[in-house]
Amino acid sequence: MIKPDAIDIVVPSFRLTEALLLNIIRLEKPAGFEVNTYIVADNPTAVIPEKLKELHLAGEIHLLVNEVNLGFSGTRNKGIRAGQAKWVLLLDDDIVPQPDLLKAYAAAIAQNDHALGFAGVTYFPEAINAATRALEINGSVHHFKLALYYPEITWAPTTNMMINREKLNPALFDTNLKAGGEDVDFFVRHWLQFNEKYQSVPGAAVTHPWHDNGAMQTRRMFRYGIAANQLAHKEPEKRYTYRDFTNTLETLLLLLFLFPAALFTGTLNIWLCLVVAVPLAEYLTNWFKAISIGKTGSPAVAFQLMWVKNCWEAGYLYDAIIGGRPGGFAKRIDMGFVKENPGSFRTNRWKIVKTLLLVILVVVAVCTVGNASF
């Protein structure tokens, strides 16, 4: 039986960092609400901190330990199914919540206790280096703060989101999405099923640290790219996909296939000019982006912008080829989910800038090579 005036906090954790988890466990409790905290350890070999054991034995928390690693989806599903509260608050294990987080959500519930769910805000610290500055500029952390800008949203990362158990699809998180994207899929499916978006609660705030202390996120972005291509071939997300111009890596792949033709037709010089011009135009475009959006002319930030973008696109392309989803080539997914069946070959200022730069670079290179040959 679902408990109406109750909140289940579900926290999947591999690290089981005691200090961080205690911040969540000791959140201020809103009046009139029963609060249960479910810490689900997704690490069968983890050493359980003594304090967590004590709280579990005292009945202050529910500590569940997976016998095998289930991943984020399976672990969250286990925590959700263990509780009975009407409201399920999903938090990550490395966030630092504001002490009044639950009170902010309780106030939102009092305003609309039939809502599909609520979206809190996840802040990141100030950028500490070129890598983190690039993540700010390219919008990688934007979705974490959507509740600041819109009264209702279609999805946000599971770092700080609340869902109504009465409107939960029994399938919960898709355990087949192992590279990521399970949060996008989960919230988008529920939004479309109930034709209802998530209500923003700007006052429900947490802070998330920079991943790996601000290191380059090569593997993470590559994995997110894989996840995006998987979503692009899955219902209902594939309704929001469209064909587009090839990106830098896709263009270079096409050029690789065209190498024999260039060799035998005597156009190898033009081919070489393109091979050099395509990534150079990509870098210069990101440099202009750093200047325009980030107000910095740092070459390091420009490189990090290019690196993050292309790692994501490399993961997307990798899954299209190796994952057996070749339809993902030159196919994009609108992660804003604005409308179904969006128009193909969409342009924006950065695509226009890159195209113009590419044309200029190729013309200059071809002329230079031609004059040198002469």
Side-chain angles (χ1 to χ4, degrees):
M1 180 180 292
I2 295 178
K3 299 178 181 179
D5 297 319
I7 298 172
D8 286 336
I9 304 174
V10 176
V11 185
S13 182
F14 186 86
R15 294 164 284 230
L16 292 174
T17 305
E18 181 180 297
L20 291 174
L21 293 174
L22 287 177
N23 286 329
I24 296 172
I25 295 167
R26 292 170 176 166
L27 283 167
E28 298 172 4
K29 306 299 190 292
F33 277 84
E34 174 187 337
V35 178
N36 289 287
T37 304
Y38 294 85
I39 309 293
V40 190
D42 194 29
N43 184 354
T45 63
V47 177
I48 309 297
E50 289 300 321
K51 187 61 178 179
L52 295 185
K53 290 181 182 178
E54 292 175 10
L55 292 172
H56 173 66
L57 292 174
E60 295 186 39
I61 67 170
H62 303 273
L63 180 61
L64 311 175
V65 181
N66 294 342
E67 295 181 0
V68 296
N69 186 273
L70 298 179
F72 286 120
S73 293
T75 301
R76 287 194 183 99
N77 290 347
K78 184 175 181 177
I80 292 171
R81 289 170 177 146
Q84 294 179 304
K86 177 177 178 179
W87 301 101
V88 182
L89 176 58
L90 301 169
L91 298 175
D92 276 2
D93 70 337
D94 53 355
I95 55 95
V96 177
Q98 292 293 324
D100 63 350
L101 178 71
L102 296 179
K103 291 183 177 180
Y105 276 120
I109 292 170
Q111 295 294 318
N112 185 359
D113 66 350
H114 296 295
L116 171 63
F118 300 98
V121 178
T122 300
Y123 292 99
F124 281 78
E126 291 292 325
I128 57 176
N129 54 23
T132 51
R133 187 73 186 101
L135 293 175
E136 289 181 335
I137 295 170
N138 80 345
S140 290
V141 299
H142 180 67
H143 276 291
F144 291 86
K145 298 187 290 185
L146 287 177
L148 286 176
Y149 313 120
Y150 306 99
E152 54 182 21
I153 63 175
T154 56
W155 74 273
T158 45
T159 48
N160 182 19
M161 288 285 287
M162 177 175 278
I163 189 82
N164 185 343
R165 189 184 294 274
E166 291 179 344
K167 297 183 178 182
L168 271 178
N169 185 304
L172 299 184
F173 287 91
D174 188 343
T175 56
N176 293 314
L177 296 173
K178 300 184 185 301
E182 75 284 347
D183 45 2
V184 182
D185 176 67
F186 176 85
F187 292 117
V188 167
R189 275 192 290 112
H190 283 82
W191 154 51
L192 293 174
Q193 179 179 344
F194 293 96
N195 193 28
E196 182 181 355
K197 296 183 179 181
Y198 304 91
Q199 304 302 304
S200 296
V201 188
V206 306
T207 300
H208 194 294
W210 291 111
H211 293 295
D212 305 316
N213 297 314
M216 291 175 63
Q217 294 302 298
T218 302
R219 181 178 298 180
R220 184 180 300 275
M221 299 310 296
F222 185 84
R223 182 163 53 83
Y224 286 171
I226 292 175
N229 190 51
Q230 291 176 350
L231 289 176
H233 291 81
K234 182 181 186 300
E235 284 286 358
E237 291 85 0
K238 70 179 183 180
R239 304 176 205 166
Y240 296 85
T241 58
Y242 59 97
R243 290 292 166 190
D244 202 6
F245 303 102
T246 57
N247 58 36
T248 294
L249 292 177
E250 290 167 340
T251 302
L252 289 174
L253 180 61
L254 289 177
L255 286 172
L256 179 63
F257 287 131
L258 289 174
F259 174 72
L263 192 62
F264 289 107
T265 58
T267 57
L268 188 58
N269 285 345
I270 296 176
W271 183 88
L272 286 171
C273 290
L274 283 169
V275 168
V276 173
V278 168
L280 183 55
E282 173 77 22
Y283 174 78
L284 291 174
T285 301
N286 281 282
W287 187 46
F288 291 151
K289 182 182 289 188
I291 295 171
S292 175
I293 297 177
K295 310 304 179 186
T296 174
S298 167
V301 172
F303 173 78
Q304 290 291 339
L305 274 171
M306 182 178 75
W307 186 258
V308 167
K309 175 179 178 290
N310 282 272
C311 284
W312 191 95
E313 292 175 352
Y316 199 102
L317 183 59
Y318 172 87
D319 189 72
I321 298 172
I322 306 300
R325 284 176 276 268
F329 188 88
K331 184 179 184 180
R332 311 287 178 250
I333 179 169
D334 176 11
M335 298 299 283
F337 301 97
V338 177
K339 66 176 183 178
E340 292 189 14
N341 305 311
S344 298
F345 303 106
R346 305 162 87 179
T347 60
N348 57 42
R349 58 174 167 163
W350 303 117
K351 288 182 180 179
I352 294 171
V353 168
K354 186 164 72 170
T355 301
L356 291 174
L357 285 170
L358 181 59
V359 171
I360 293 170
L361 289 169
V362 170
V363 170
V364 171
V366 170
C367 291
T368 301
V369 171
N371 291 334
S373 299
F374 179 78

